[in-house]
Amino acid sequence: SQTIHQWPATLVQPVGSPLSLECTVEGTSNPNLYWYRQAAGRGLQLLFYSIGIGQISSEVPQNLSASRPQDRQFILSSKKLLLSDSGFYLCAWRPRGASEKLFFGSGTQLSVL
Amino acid sequence: AQTVTQSQPEMSVQEAETVTLSCTYDTSENNYYLFWYKQPPSRQMILVIRQEAYKQQNATENRFSVNFQKAAKSFSLKISDSQLGDTAMYFCAFIPDRGSTLGRLYFGRGTQLTVWP
């Protein structure tokens, strides 16, 4: 069966520090991968998506970047965090060719202080 | 552009009663899927129910059912016999059906449902 792992669950970082959130998917190959952010009291905003290794598309210009060094690994990074980067980050994956299925990780609560 | 609108930021219901959450969407796509996701306090996103746009029959999953009105672009969720565990944020979502190409999932801003004992 397929599973998605996302870590860490919570993270408190000072302004200006770097960030690395990792997401891995098991039990499938060549998935579409997504990073979403959920600000307090708001819906989910798509940040990045990837259809393959090294292929990253950005939805919103921002202080963050994403990378996909391996087929089932998706990393969200920042060189210098801003206060506005605080939020709940969700990784998700979708089987190739299956529009109706999207599976979410358990999320990371990031607090930038 | 695709948009999903949930006009009810908060709702509450007595345990065992029925509640309906509303959702409207805007799209020029002909084939698409609609979803309701539940996000409990744990913040895990849980798929509640899914509707294919080409199906006229409304989807049902146990106590959860939808009223899908394609012409009106409306997709409401009805929860029957509400339970305390139904307390959560509910998100309506839409994804175009583009086969093997990447489909972006569009979310509404959510409705916080509280079930009272």
Side-chain angles (χ1 to χ4, degrees):
Chain A
S1 63
Q2 301 98 345
T3 56
I4 178 169
H5 301 280
Q6 186 181 342
W7 67 93
T10 59
L11 189 61
V12 180
Q13 293 283 97
V15 170
S17 64
L19 172 73
S20 180
L21 302 182
E22 189 164 341
C23 172
T24 60
V25 181
E26 295 179 356
T28 188
S29 60
N30 204 22
N32 292 321
L33 297 171
Y34 304 77
W35 277 111
Y36 284 88
R37 176 169 61 197
Q38 184 180 20
R42 302 192 65 176
L44 278 73
Q45 178 187 37
L46 180 61
L47 301 176
F48 300 96
Y49 62 88
S50 172
I51 61 172
I53 296 174
Q55 300 179 69
I56 309 295
S57 295
S58 174
E59 284 288 304
V60 181
Q62 60 216 319
N63 184 45
L64 303 169
S65 62
S67 62
R68 184 170 177 174
Q70 300 180 46
D71 180 46
R72 291 170 291 169
Q73 183 184 30
F74 205 24
I75 298 172
L76 184 68
S77 304
S78 173
K79 292 182 179 178
K80 290 185 178 181
L81 283 168
L82 306 172
L83 289 174
S84 58
D85 292 324
S86 294
F88 187 65
Y89 290 83
L90 279 162
C91 180
W93 75 276
R94 181 172 70 86
R96 187 61 58 92
S99 289
E100 74 278 15
K101 299 179 180 179
L102 187 69
F103 303 95
F104 287 88
S106 54
T108 297
Q109 179 63 52
L110 172 65
S111 299
V112 182
L113 305 177
Chain B
Q2 342 281 357
T3 58
V4 179
T5 303
Q6 293 178 249
S7 59
Q8 306 151 315
E10 298 179 356
M11 292 194 72
S12 61
V13 64
Q14 197 90 26
E15 194 176 11
E17 296 296 310
T18 296
V19 64
T20 299
L21 310 182
S22 64
C23 172
T24 58
Y25 60 95
D26 189 21
T27 182
S28 57
E29 303 276 347
N30 191 45
N31 298 318
Y32 50 88
Y33 295 88
L34 293 160
F35 307 83
W36 279 98
Y37 279 89
K38 168 184 176 181
Q39 188 180 43
S42 67
R43 307 196 77 172
Q44 176 72 49
M45 292 290 284
I46 301 167
L47 178 64
V48 174
I49 200 165
R50 181 182 72 220
Q51 174 80 41
E52 292 90 339
Y54 61 86
K55 287 187 177 178
Q56 293 185 343
Q57 185 175 8
N58 290 323
T60 62
E61 287 287 343
N62 300 313
R63 299 182 294 107
F64 299 88
S65 61
V66 299
N67 183 6
F68 174 48
Q69 303 290 329
K70 190 173 184 179
K73 294 180 180 174
S74 171
F75 183 61
S76 61
L77 174 69
K78 185 172 81 171
I79 306 174
S80 305
D81 186 26
S82 297
Q83 300 176 0
L84 297 178
D86 296 333
T87 293
M89 179 74 83
Y90 286 81
F91 291 99
C92 180
F94 160 96
I95 191 168
D97 181 7
R98 295 176 183 167
S100 60
T101 59
L102 189 72
R104 173 182 173 174
L105 195 64
Y106 297 83
F107 284 89
R109 299 185 67 158
T111 297
Q112 176 63 49
L113 175 68
T114 302
V115 180
W116 301 98

